[in-house]
Amino acid sequence: MKVASPLRLGVMAGRGVPAIVALLCVVTVIPGTARADNPIVQTIYTADPAPLVHNGRVYLYTGHDEDGSTYFTMKEWRVWSSADLANWTDHGSPMSVATFGWASADAWAGQAVYRNGKFYWYVPVKDRASGQMAIGVGVSNSPTGPFTDAIGRPLVRNGEIDPTVFIDDDGQAYLYWGNPNLWYVRLNADMISYSGSPSQIPLTTAGFGTRTGNTSRPTLYEEGPWVYKRNGLYYNVFAARCCSEFVAYSTAPGPTGPWTYRGTVMPTQGSSFTNHPGVIDYNGGSYFFYHNGALPGGGGFTRSVAVERFTYNADGSIPTINMSTTGAPQVGTLNPYVRQEAETIAWESGVETEPAGEGGMNVGWIENGDYIKVKGVAFGSGATSFSARVASATGGGRMELRLDGVNGPLVGTCTVPGTGGWQTWTTVTCPVNGATGTRDLYFRYTGGSGYLFNVNWWQFTGGAGAAGFSP
């Protein structure tokens, strides 16, 4: 594992990236763990996953645990997306505490939903005026932002956290949130106001299970509700019984209850004392997102988001789901013959991402021996050449294109020259031979000492007659 030294941080700040990016340090793993695909993000610590399916793609909204945290030190939210649940594209940070002029701290667990052609992101932050936790709403025309404060004040404020939003089949939207209690309110169609007053959902042992040893909290409900509907049944999946938490769930015939406790979804596992669920159906499968402390340096305040595929039981109950290092299977394949963002990653070692001067994000802080894995690349009958958009303020280096492993068959090598700046971009091209079929692709970076170059995007050519691509 690499951790940023003071010298490294100084070099990062000197590259002209925003200050908040300059504070990031590398979170990577040793090559021996490269076959794992969970956690799904390794460049930073992430927490509190909130997946959203939109236009055939999964958008994942997360929190960001700052490196070395000894509390829930969180200043921004992040967005990632994937079409195959194996390769995840980093869209950076489209919203932070600073988005809300009335907030002072704590970019904690939220959820984004789509309605009326807009994306609404409900998040808990500390209200500067009262010192209480409150729920704010960000809004954007794009799932990847940028998001702005939708109303310029808290939507609700009672000192409690962890909002989840559910839109029922009749169009009525509900906001749920709470720790130590569980609240809901009916949102208006504009998604930024509500009718009536917030109501408490009764936390009964029949509804949310029995907790022992804590008379002030007799039920298992702790925090992090995730409410959804499937086959006419309403589900509330939640973090249960701190600490350490497990994930449990209840069901109901209606969106406000009465709730019946159904049992454990994910037992207490991993090195994080919290957990946070997110559940979706996508492309014929069901997926459970959660967080743990599985990355080097990880723990209860330095968490990482992971995902598992699961199948509901015939009666609609959720089976027990265990954490794994393999993650969800890939859905389809990745097409190398269209432009792919360099920050689309299944697994990596040693790199970071940053906002690119040409827009979007780029991969940077590349040193000799670092690599990126892209999973399930459909080369078809064979690629003939490779191009990448690169920049280097030093002497550059080389991109080795390897299959199936960081030391796997070498199918091409692209030389990256110095370009005169970390955001001074040029396109390099090199021949490719032997890249056929569907294979895992590894970009292995080699060169001298220090930082070598940045990569913005890449694309192969060739592959005549190739079939079976997925977008």
Side-chain angles (χ1 to χ4, degrees):
M1 174 186 176
K2 294 179 184 175
V3 177
S5 66
L7 175 61
R8 182 179 175 94
L9 290 175
V11 173
M12 291 161 70
R15 288 163 53 106
V17 298
I20 196 165
V21 176
L23 291 174
L24 301 181
C25 76
V26 177
V27 180
T28 55
V29 295
I30 58 176
T33 62
R35 293 179 181 173
D37 292 311
N38 259 345
I40 59 179
V41 175
Q42 309 92 40
T43 51
I44 61 171
Y45 294 119
T46 55
D48 305 323
L52 169 67
V53 178
H54 181 73
N55 284 348
R57 195 168 180 88
V58 177
Y59 293 87
L60 180 62
Y61 300 83
T62 76
H64 172 201
D65 286 339
E66 295 291 324
D67 297 332
S69 294
T70 56
Y71 183 62
F72 300 110
T73 307
M74 308 173 76
K75 303 174 182 178
E76 64 176 10
W77 297 270
R78 303 285 292 231
V79 181
W80 324 81
S81 73
S82 179
D84 61 14
L85 295 176
N87 301 295
W88 290 89
T89 301
D90 184 352
H91 298 285
S93 173
M95 194 168 77
S96 70
V97 171
T99 301
F100 303 96
W102 48 269
S104 61
D106 299 338
W108 288 359
Q111 183 187 359
V113 298
Y114 174 75
R115 193 175 199 181
N116 306 326
K118 295 182 182 295
F119 297 84
Y120 298 90
W121 199 345
Y122 301 82
V123 292
V125 287
K126 184 174 289 185
D127 174 37
R128 182 180 291 106
S130 67
Q132 285 187 309
M133 293 301 294
I135 309 301
V137 188
V139 64
S140 176
N141 293 321
S142 165
T144 58
F147 285 78
T148 59
D149 188 349
I151 53 178
R153 56 176 172 77
L155 175 63
V156 292
R157 183 186 64 205
N158 63 1
E160 301 198 37
I161 59 173
D162 291 1
T164 183
V165 173
F166 163 68
I167 303 173
D168 208 345
D169 298 336
D170 62 1
Q172 178 62 60
Y174 298 83
L175 170 71
Y176 307 80
W177 77 101
N179 176 352
N181 303 296
L182 179 57
W183 300 82
Y184 78 91
V185 70
R186 291 178 173 86
L187 295 175
N188 294 329
D190 64 7
M191 301 299 286
I192 57 174
S193 64
Y194 56 87
S195 299
S197 300
S199 301
Q200 266 188 263
I201 293 175
L203 292 177
T204 64
T205 55
F208 295 91
T210 301
R211 183 189 313 222
T212 58
N214 188 341
T215 56
S216 66
R217 299 190 75 160
T219 78
L220 292 172
Y221 176 82
E222 185 73 25
E223 59 186 353
W226 183 272
V227 178
Y228 64 100
K229 184 180 183 180
R230 179 181 182 272
N231 293 339
L233 188 64
Y234 296 80
Y235 292 74
N236 186 342
V237 185
F238 55 91
R241 194 199 59 207
C242 189
C243 290
S244 294
E245 293 175 346
F246 65 98
V247 177
Y249 79 111
S250 302
T251 61
T256 62
W259 296 96
T260 300
Y261 181 66
R262 297 299 184 188
T264 296
V265 176
M266 177 170 278
T268 299
Q269 297 174 350
S271 58
S272 169
F273 60 85
T274 66
N275 204 339
H276 193 99
V279 184
I280 57 168
D281 286 338
Y282 175 68
N283 205 12
S286 299
Y287 297 88
F288 179 77
F289 290 77
Y290 60 98
H291 68 226
N292 57 27
L295 288 183
F301 302 119
T302 44
R303 299 160 293 179
S304 296
V305 168
V307 63
E308 310 292 343
R309 182 170 177 165
F310 74 97
T311 301
Y312 288 90
N313 297 319
D315 62 358
S317 60
I318 301 175
T320 300
I321 303 169
N322 291 303
M323 297 182 184
S324 79
T325 58
T326 54
Q330 186 172 10
V331 179
T333 56
L334 184 138
N335 182 357
Y337 301 112
V338 299
R339 171 174 157 167
Q340 297 288 349
E341 296 301 315
E343 63 275 12
T344 297
I345 298 170
W347 196 264
E348 61 80 24
S349 177
V351 308
E352 296 185 43
T353 63
E354 65 180 352
E358 296 185 322
M361 304 287 285
N362 67 254
V363 169
W365 291 281
I366 294 169
E367 296 177 278
N368 182 58
D370 292 348
Y371 69 85
I372 286 175
K373 169 189 173 183
V374 183
K375 191 173 183 179
V377 179
F379 290 107
S381 59
T384 56
S385 70
F386 170 83
S387 297
R389 190 71 168 167
V390 296
S392 176
T394 57
R398 293 175 301 280
M399 297 179 65
E400 295 181 356
L401 313 178
R402 295 182 177 270
L403 303 181
D404 304 330
V406 69
N407 296 309
L410 180 67
V411 297
T413 301
C414 256
T415 299
V416 177
T419 65
W422 295 116
Q423 295 294 323
T424 303
W425 297 96
T426 190
T427 302
V428 296
T429 301
C430 56
V432 174
N433 184 40
T436 61
T438 298
R439 313 283 286 275
D440 291 346
L441 171 65
Y442 285 73
F443 297 104
R444 186 172 185 267
Y445 307 112
T446 62
S449 60
Y451 301 119
L452 303 178
F453 51 86
N454 292 348
V455 188
N456 193 0
W457 55 259
W458 57 265
Q459 184 173 345
F460 286 82
T461 59
F469 295 140
S470 294

